[in-house]
Amino acid sequence: RRDGDLRGRGRAGPAVRSRPAPLYFDDVEVGSEFTSGERLVTEADLVGFTEISGDRHPVHTDAAFAAAGPFGQRILQGPFGIAVVLGLFGQFAAFTEAAIALTDIGDWRFRAPIFVGDRVLLRMRIAGKTPSRSGRRGLVDRHMTLLKSGGEIAQDGRMGLLIARRPPAGST
């Protein structure tokens, strides 16, 4: 299991952020899990995502309408969770150097509403990997789970990642 990229604590003080060793396709192990730090969902997130998405359904924008509905309050739009997952993946700095592109999203499930004030985090499990025909990169299949701070699953599904293979020694 790997967590963020805070490494060690000095005797005299707070954790120091260091740059982790890069993870290439060759280094990624099926079954490995990574857990991000928490992210607070804010009113600004709801307003901003409403503007970006154009989804102004009253369950998102009208407190009185939402209060009378099944969730009892406004909820964030479903795709907001996908965007947060992609952002939280950025906390896994070891992938920064080798990651090339998101290739697909599959089997995505919306299991629980996300509210303003929720704290969420990402748990990522490496579900599989396949080298490309060229041999220069590979596809990593990741199972992504967006969890609320109490452990409830808000959303989950698969996301493919195109990732570089480790360069041959002396080629950089």
Side-chain angles (χ1 to χ4, degrees), residues 24-57:
Y24 290 89
F25 176 82
D26 313 88
D27 307 316
V28 175
E29 295 179 19
V30 174
S32 296
E33 286 196 2
F34 301 80
T35 302
S36 73
E38 285 190 339
R39 180 196 192 286
L40 175 65
V41 178
T42 67
E43 178 72 21
D45 291 329
L46 177 58
V47 171
F49 202 81
T50 297
E51 289 306 309
I52 289 169
S53 68
D55 180 354
R56 292 178 174 78
H57 188 282

Side-chain angles (χ1 to χ4, degrees), residues 98-134:
I100 298 170
L102 174 70
T103 61
D104 62 293
I105 298 174
D107 303 321
W108 202 261
R109 293 170 290 198
F110 302 91
R111 296 176 176 264
I114 299 172
F115 303 111
V116 170
D118 280 347
R119 291 187 175 279
V120 295
L121 61 85
L122 169 63
R123 185 179 63 221
M124 177 180 79
R125 182 179 48 81
I126 305 300
K129 63 187 229 180
T130 308
S132 68
R133 283 182 237 162
S134 73

